[in-house]
Amino acid sequence: MQHPVAIRTAARLRTIREQWGALLAAVETPPASTTWPPAETRAFLNTGADEGALLVEDRAPLTLRQHPAPANLDALDVALFVEQQVFDLADTLAAAVQHAAVDDVRRWTFPDPGAPDARTATGSRAHGLHWAAVYVEGRVLDEDTEPELLGDALVAAPFSPLPEWALHEAARVARACEQRVARIVAADSIPDSRTLPTPCPACGGALVVRAAPAEPPTVTCRTGAACGAETDRDSRGRRVWEWPACLPLLLSPGTPDHGTPRAA
């Protein structure tokens, strides 16, 4: 059975990957301080699958590719922070558990400042945030830690199971990065709390979004215990959508047919 910390950390890494495109879009769009959700975030995430697909060049590290002058410095700071933290974490985990052969595609390659060109000098960082997050997730979940068959021979596993200290370091980094991403892509205009224009999908009650300065946002149905939404309850019996499960509610347009959400 996988460690609960490993499961939570892997989920946070997937959230970071899934919201990376929205974060990059926010870097190039002025922050909206008077609308909720931010118009630029809604427009980006609501595009079709083909039109909204993240280009391969957008996966390259921010420090290696050219991009327009940032319109949102807060978003750029978060993107650079997340990128550096995940890259450094991949270096740390690789040093602790990696035994993969040099030609193994699963191998994480360390930076080599003496290399002749910039992309080679960065090692696996040249593949961008997505690949780094996938690599870290694999180590957190102890993937590829059993001996493998190579032809007719049994060879050593490419990775060792992650020691506890490394798992908790990965958990710390993933949590810090997810929180910062959440503050940009979903909560950059929430000073404390406010009622959403979208009613509760289960009971039609009022939905309230809350976000503390260092925490991702959450959405709570004000109907209380009578609400039958399929999500967790808080200490008062109210239905609550945690991050990132609350994101569809934050980005959903209000439904005119329901009128004004009611409060219990």
Side-chain angles (χ1 to χ4, degrees):
M1 181 180 294
Q2 290 180 324
H3 197 294
V5 173
I7 295 173
R8 289 196 299 269
T9 301
R12 285 176 172 140
L13 289 164
R14 287 192 292 273
T15 298
I16 292 167
R17 287 192 288 112
E18 291 166 359
Q19 301 307 322
W20 185 244
L23 181 58
L24 296 185
V27 171
E28 299 173 2
T29 309
S33 58
T34 59
T35 61
W36 174 252
E40 68 278 5
T41 303
R42 182 194 298 274
F44 184 89
L45 293 181
N46 286 350
T47 53
D50 293 335
E51 295 178 356
L54 191 63
L55 299 177
V56 173
E57 53 266 29
D58 287 336
R59 298 172 185 261
L62 294 171
T63 54
L64 293 183
R65 62 185 176 89
Q66 294 183 346
H67 51 75
N72 187 332
L73 292 178
D74 288 340
L76 178 62
D77 286 344
V78 168
L80 290 172
F81 172 85
V82 170
E83 194 174 67
Q84 188 63 49
Q85 290 290 307
V86 176
F87 286 164
D88 288 348
L89 178 60
D91 285 344
T92 298
L93 302 190
V97 302
Q98 180 169 269
H99 314 294
V102 174
D103 60 349
D104 193 322
V105 295
R106 296 167 294 183
R107 180 183 177 87
W108 178 264
T109 305
F110 297 102
D112 178 10
D117 63 88
R119 290 189 69 87
T120 304
T122 60
S124 290
R125 298 181 181 212
H127 299 309
L129 183 282
H130 278 247
W131 163 235
V134 168
Y135 177 87
V136 170
E137 182 179 337
R139 306 294 69 75
V140 165
L141 296 177
D142 286 336
E143 296 176 355
D144 303 316
T145 56
E146 299 290 337
E148 299 179 344
L149 278 174
L150 183 60
D152 295 328
L154 193 65
V155 299
F159 304 98
S160 299
L162 205 62
E164 187 170 354
W165 68 264
L167 173 59
H168 285 282
E169 174 63 10
R172 181 191 67 80
V173 171
R175 178 178 174 82
C177 291
E178 183 197 44
Q179 288 176 348
R180 295 202 180 201
V181 171
R183 294 299 300 176
I184 295 297
V185 305
D188 55 352
S189 65
I190 305 177
D192 183 15
S193 66
R194 67 176 61 185
T195 301
L196 294 176
T198 306
C200 174
C203 69
L207 295 177
V208 177
V209 57
R210 295 181 175 85
E215 295 290 338
T218 63
V219 173
T220 303
C221 177
R222 295 181 59 186
T223 297
C227 177
E230 295 182 358
T231 188
D232 294 334
R233 294 184 183 272
D234 63 11
S235 59
R236 297 171 57 185
R238 299 173 303 182
R239 295 295 184 176
V240 177
W241 289 262
E242 303 285 349
W243 174 268
C246 66
L247 192 56
L249 296 173
L250 298 178
L251 299 180
S252 175
T255 306
D257 293 342
H258 285 280
T260 303
R262 64 177 176 84

